Amino acid sequence: MGFENAFAEEIWNAKYRFVAAGGDADSGFDATIARVAEAIAQAEAPEHRGYWRDRFAEGLADFRFIPAGRVLAGAGTDRRVTLFNCFVMGTIPDSLEGIFAHLREAALTMQQGGGVGMDFSTIRPSGSPVTGVGADASGPLSFMDCWDAMCRTVQSAGQRRGAMMGCLHISHPDIEAFIDAKRDPARCRNFNLSVLVTDSFMKALAAGDEWPLVFDGKVRRVVMARDLWQRLMRATYDTAEPGVIFVDRVNQQNNLAYCEQISASNPCGEQMLPPYGACLLGSINLARLVEEPFGPNAALDEAALGELTRTAVRLLDNVIDISRYPLPQQEAEAKAKRRIGLGVTGLADALLFCGTAYGTGPAVALTRRWLGVIKREAYRASAEIAAEKGPFPLYDPCMLDRPNLVGLDDDTRALIAKHGLRNGCLTSIAPTGTTSLLAGNVSSGVEPVFAYSYTRKIRQGDGSTREEAVEDYAMQAWRRLKGDTPPPEELFVSAQTLSPSDHLTMQAAAQALIDSSISKTVNCPEEISFDAFADIYVEGYHLGCKGLTTYRPNAVTGSVLSTVPTKPARTEIMLEPRAEALEGATYKLKWPDSAHAVYVTINDAGDERDRRPFEIFVNSKNMEHYAWTLGLTRMISAVFRRGGDVSFVAEELKAVFDPRGGAWMQGRYVPSLLAAIGGVIERHLAGLEPPPPSPAPDPIKQPQAIAHGACPQCGAAALIKVEGCNNCLECGYSKCG
């Protein structure tokens, strides 16, 4: 089975292709499928393994069902990794010994490839007395800094940094400091943050009442609910965090509420989990199931959807038995409740194929119809597996009265009543960033299409890079079927052109049919007013959402991605000697790792009509940088003196990242000191020659400006936030946290 584009193959090579220590490797994606299917079938009785191996391989073929990346990368290998994507860690004790014991557990989990979520509400607020040592407590934020430092240090399986979610209850006395944490650009950078908001707080907000801040049963302070909400909304408006989890709704609608209490989620928010809970993810690719795309009879094959759902439930259930677990508590929790998170990807593309615009009434109806099929068939499959292998150990018949099961049809409820369920929870909708790209760049999860076309840089085996145009899967199909016919703008909507209410409507429609939760980002225009922005969260609460994450371009997370045309190259070679006196400018940089400022001087040659950079000097009292700065400036000066278009010098320097971490400068993340120097050169060049006017953007390729930030891996201004995760449109970097 081939790949839709070169970038998909690159992702497979980098992330999911197994290469053994001896050199043997998956020869192609078919070999990856065979490896994964064979490994997962080992959970079946010996006489049935061949049958289920073939069924699993059939489900994985053509990217129809895509298990989460940990399964693709780890199943059937000898790697000591977990096949579960994410975990919620145990309840953190309010003691120094207990806190650091849980920090160690989180480190071990991340080392094996699992992202982690934690509720820090159990740690006493700052200023509280610590009996026996005559000191005051430093509060949960100070210990979150320890987790943050650990995450920077520990590299998880698959050579990527781990992801974390930090939660704090809306009534914790340190909630204001938590809300404002990410206003400090150096703090909690490896965390997603979410506030646990209760129904009682939302009632106090509506009534204009006071809100007590409580710890250990004692009221420490009282604030106005509206003031606290304004503070939360203002932080989210300015920095895109914290998100909000409506924690009472999460517990009220939890299938397993009779045996667990939830107070945290995994890093991307789609799995609300109890202490030591694990989430095992996989997505049905709806875009691959539509027959006659863009045709008059286009429709999703619901029979195929139902059959694929049943295969996927069994596959994920088997993964529970073949996976390794970082901690014994995680294994015990997973096997006691056998929770899985079956979701979808390619929803927006499937809607496009059916001639339906995302966010409209018909799109809501189709979404509910398709997810209804998945819900019904998932529960039926789980009941049938329970008849064969037994229900999950903590199954209780009272589950039939839980909200997610009440609406099932009579036949399915009768099947569950007779056999029980194999799995305590069955569905959630996860972020599918790189796996969606692997499948040909289908739209991610339940998100709308973010951009229909863009360019990525693909690194070659020799270290060089080439550019590859990447189109959305549905756009590729349109061009194949319709040629040069322009796609209708009213159909090809995007995350940029939709209103926040359109986003919310789709999220709420999906949430009504999903057991756990949904990872989704409500994209907002930069110019949205604060009051309209704050209303999104109230509207989401009343629509039945379990959590909300928004993204609005801002000074901390990024502004607008634009294309700057390349300056026409000069053909002359500059060989003239240095004049006795040159005009130039000196720029001051303050880098966190250096006690002294770094000064960059760029001198120019030529007259006012043809002024160009001639030489560069970098000076600092910090002698640590002397050797490399001297060599660097001599090389750059030599390039400057040859003339021509030297803008590539800035671009190359800006792409350098420091593995020790970068820094925030003037509201933007800069991945290294060299990248900062590249930025200085870029600004200087821009001041020498006015840029030519930018061409008008294509109305379909770029409906309007695309929100971005600076990528910590490649430095490009191409970082977007989708489904709670940061994804780079330039180099493929992806990180939830």
Side-chain angles (χ1 to χ4, degrees), residues 61-99:
D62 199 31
F63 302 103
R64 298 192 321 144
F65 175 65
I66 311 172
R70 296 300 179 197
V71 177
L72 287 176
T77 74
D78 57 359
R79 295 171 178 161
R80 295 191 59 81
V81 297
T82 181
L83 305 184
F84 283 71
N85 282 63
C86 298
F87 301 84
V88 161
M89 304 309 296
T91 302
I92 302 174
D94 187 27
S95 69
L96 194 65
E97 180 181 0
I99 289 169

Side-chain angles (χ1 to χ4, degrees), residues 43 49 58 80 94 160 205 325 336 419 424 432-434 460 584 634 655 674 706 715:
R49 287 174 185 166
E58 180 184 352
R80 295 191 59 81
D94 187 27
R160 57 187 286 188
L205 176 66
Y325 296 84
H419 301 298
T432 55
T434 53
Q460 305 299 293
R634 285 183 175 179
L674 281 170
I706 299 175

Side-chain angles (χ1 to χ4, degrees), residues 579-621:
E580 183 175 347
L582 295 175
E583 293 186 7
T586 298
Y587 304 84
K588 179 180 179 181
L589 293 175
K590 190 69 180 72
W591 192 251
D593 283 349
S594 177
H596 303 286
V598 176
Y599 295 89
V600 180
T601 299
I602 303 176
N603 292 327
D604 304 319
D607 56 29
E608 290 301 321
R609 292 173 299 173
D610 185 30
R611 194 169 176 180
R612 57 196 178 275
F614 186 85
E615 62 190 6
I616 182 173
F617 302 96
V618 177
N619 294 295
S620 174
K621 291 182 180 179

Side-chain angles (χ1 to χ4, degrees), residues 382-397:
S382 187
E384 289 169 356
I385 299 171
E388 177 187 343
K389 298 182 177 182
F392 67 92
L394 293 183
Y395 173 76
D396 190 297

Side-chain angles (χ1 to χ4, degrees), residues 89 104-106 108-109 112 276 325-332:
M89 304 309 296
R104 175 182 178 274
E105 290 183 350
L108 292 173
T109 301
Q112 285 201 27
Y276 294 112
Y325 296 84
L327 303 173
Q329 301 97 314
Q330 294 161 346
E331 180 173 12

Side-chain angles (χ1 to χ4, degrees), residues 41 44-54 56 314 388:
E44 302 289 346
E47 63 271 21
H48 300 312
R49 287 174 185 166
Y51 171 80
W52 285 110
R53 178 196 62 218
D54 294 345
F56 295 154
R314 191 171 190 114
E388 177 187 343

